[in-house]
Amino acid sequence: MASKNLQNIILLYKIILICGLCLVYSKAELQRFEHPIKPDGSLSILVVGDWGRRGAYNQTEVAAQMAKIGDQVDPDFIISTGDNFYEDGLTGVDDPAFEESFSNIYLGPSLQKQWYNVLGNHDYRGDVLAQLDPILRKKDSKWLCLRSFILNTDVAEFFFIDTTPFVDKYFNNPKDHKYDWRGVLPREEYLFNLLKDLDTALKESSLDWKIVVGHHTLRSAGKHGITFELEERLLPVLQENNVDLYVNGHDHCLEHISSPDSPLQFLTSGGGSKAWRGNVRPWSPEELKLYYDGQGFMTMKLTKYDVYIQFYDVFGNILHQWSRSKGLYFV
């Protein structure tokens, strides 16, 4: 009888646990935004990452080149791949670093478009909720930052993913750093819900291009290299759902790696300010299409049938370009 009661208690606990997960999952569903494309059916984007240093380490020079190229390509919006404010994020919504590293730096007319931002590991070292606070949008209307969200356009769907909580060392060996895990704990529950939401959203997507944006590297010949937690948990979701591009920062370089076993391309745009000269790991030349260990940024142009990528250095020179048409792969 006691054994049967124990079994009933265990069963009840499992039911409560499952229901609890369902409640958390329903609250964790990814928020969606819509962004129009141009009348000709195209979409142009600037991509920059690892930038927020109050103009130092050539951040101002990169911003100036972004503005010049922006005048040519007329971006519909700008993507930031994270590490928005160094070294330790923002101290709060009134931190002057917001203006000194963002509003006062990206001044060109072509940069006064909507910025869609993800968080990086350095952002988690400060008041992480400050970057998510609507007060910053009131200070500068082009700022929009969430942990994870979906951006719909008529030609492509963008899935912005919060990658920092995946990385074990930030929890197990933070060294002298303090990370703001409000809204993330319990961690495994958070990651389970995020991957579930992403998988569901990717499966439901009917658009021609699927692009996932995160801060951390999946494939990289740079200093940080492969983020093994993402390789184990995120990469299978991308491959199963035929994602076209994974766009990231984290390594302070510009990089294009082609997947050997799928159409998935890995694009690193982390050259917004401080670069790591000489930090390059050996990589297969058949896969490594670009590695540049300096500052710069990336542009993307998409139509229903084509995607066109260009990488620029801090002087505005084109370092690399790549294109793909649906059904035809150019590598």
Side-chain angles (χ1 to χ4, degrees):
M1 187 71 175
S3 176
K4 186 174 182 181
N5 288 338
L6 179 60
Q7 291 176 358
N8 290 336
I9 291 172
I10 293 173
L11 178 61
L12 179 61
Y13 174 78
K14 288 181 177 179
I15 292 172
I16 292 172
L17 179 61
I18 292 171
C19 289
L21 286 175
C22 290
L23 286 172
V24 173
Y25 169 69
S26 66
K27 293 179 181 178
E29 186 173 346
L30 300 179
Q31 188 172 351
R32 290 179 178 268
F33 297 87
E34 301 283 339
H35 201 107
I37 61 175
K38 292 183 173 65
D40 66 359
S42 68
L43 184 70
S44 295
I45 306 159
L46 295 175
V47 185
V48 66
D50 303 82
W51 41 267
R53 297 183 185 272
R54 292 180 166 89
Y57 294 98
N58 287 340
Q59 184 193 357
T60 301
E61 286 73 16
V62 173
Q65 289 300 332
M66 287 175 63
K68 289 181 181 179
I69 300 302
D71 289 341
Q72 301 172 22
V73 304
D74 186 19
D76 296 281
F77 55 85
I78 294 124
I79 289 174
S80 168
T81 58
D83 276 1
N84 307 317
F85 302 98
Y86 286 95
E87 286 285 327
D88 299 313
L90 295 178
T91 59
V93 294
D94 295 321
D95 191 334
F98 180 72
E99 287 83 9
E100 294 169 0
S101 290
F102 180 63
S103 300
N104 298 344
I105 300 296
Y106 301 100
L107 297 173
S110 63
L111 304 184
Q112 307 312 303
K113 307 293 178 69
Q114 186 66 66
W115 284 59
Y116 295 102
N117 306 271
V118 292
L119 297 167
N121 53 297
H122 282 267
D123 300 311
Y124 265 98
R125 294 180 188 175
D127 180 353
V128 74
L129 300 184
Q131 292 195 46
L132 311 178
D133 199 306
I135 289 176
L136 292 189
R137 294 202 71 188
K138 293 180 180 179
K139 290 187 174 185
D140 193 326
S141 60
K142 63 179 179 286
W143 177 265
L144 191 152
C145 183
L146 288 85
R147 295 186 197 273
S148 300
F149 60 100
I150 298 172
L151 178 63
N152 294 108
T153 74
D154 287 341
V155 297
E157 200 160 14
F158 297 81
F159 304 83
F160 292 78
I161 300 301
D162 184 21
T163 60
T164 300
F166 283 88
V167 181
D168 293 335
K169 68 179 180 180
Y170 303 141
F171 294 86
N172 303 333
N173 187 25
K175 298 182 179 179
D176 295 329
H177 306 301
K178 293 183 179 180
Y179 292 88
D180 184 356
W181 298 125
R182 287 177 295 171
V184 169
L185 303 177
R187 179 190 176 200
E188 279 306 312
E189 195 172 280
Y190 178 84
L191 296 177
F192 170 84
N193 292 330
L194 176 54
L195 289 169
K196 182 70 172 178
D197 281 333
L198 175 63
D199 183 59
T200 299
L202 286 169
K203 284 180 167 54
E204 292 175 348
S205 177
S206 60
L207 292 179
D208 298 284
W209 301 99
K210 299 179 185 179
I211 300 169
V212 174
V213 180
H215 176 65
H216 288 77
T217 55
L218 259 172
R219 294 282 183 270
S220 176
K223 177 179 178 180
H224 290 303
I226 296 171
T227 306
F228 292 103
E229 296 91 341
L230 293 184
E231 184 181 51
E232 178 182 356
R233 305 184 70 168
L234 179 61
L235 183 58
V237 177
L238 307 190
Q239 292 174 329
E240 179 181 338
N241 290 287
N242 300 313
V243 169
D244 298 285
L245 308 175
Y246 177 72
V247 181
N248 62 271
H250 197 43
D251 266 336
H252 296 187
C253 61
L254 303 174
E255 192 171 16
H256 174 200
I257 293 179
S258 180
S259 177
D261 52 7
S262 78
L264 180 59
Q265 305 293 305
F266 303 95
L267 306 171
T268 297
S269 184
S273 59
K274 187 177 183 179
W276 292 325
R277 287 290 187 185
N279 279 295
V280 56
R281 300 166 182 259
W283 205 277
S284 165
E286 289 76 22
E287 298 175 24
L288 188 62
K289 306 303 179 182
L290 167 70
Y291 186 84
Y292 178 70
D293 57 351
Q295 293 107 349
F297 58 97
M298 185 179 84
T299 63
M300 302 172 61
K301 182 176 181 179
L302 297 111
T303 69
K304 181 177 177 61
Y305 302 107
D306 303 287
V307 60
Y308 183 57
I309 305 293
Q310 287 187 310
F311 287 88
Y312 295 83
D313 67 12
V314 68
F315 306 106
N317 301 312
I318 297 175
L319 301 170
H320 173 67
Q321 47 194 348
W322 173 87
S323 65
R324 168 171 289 171
S325 296
K326 278 295 180 180
L328 296 174
Y329 301 135
F330 302 93
V331 294

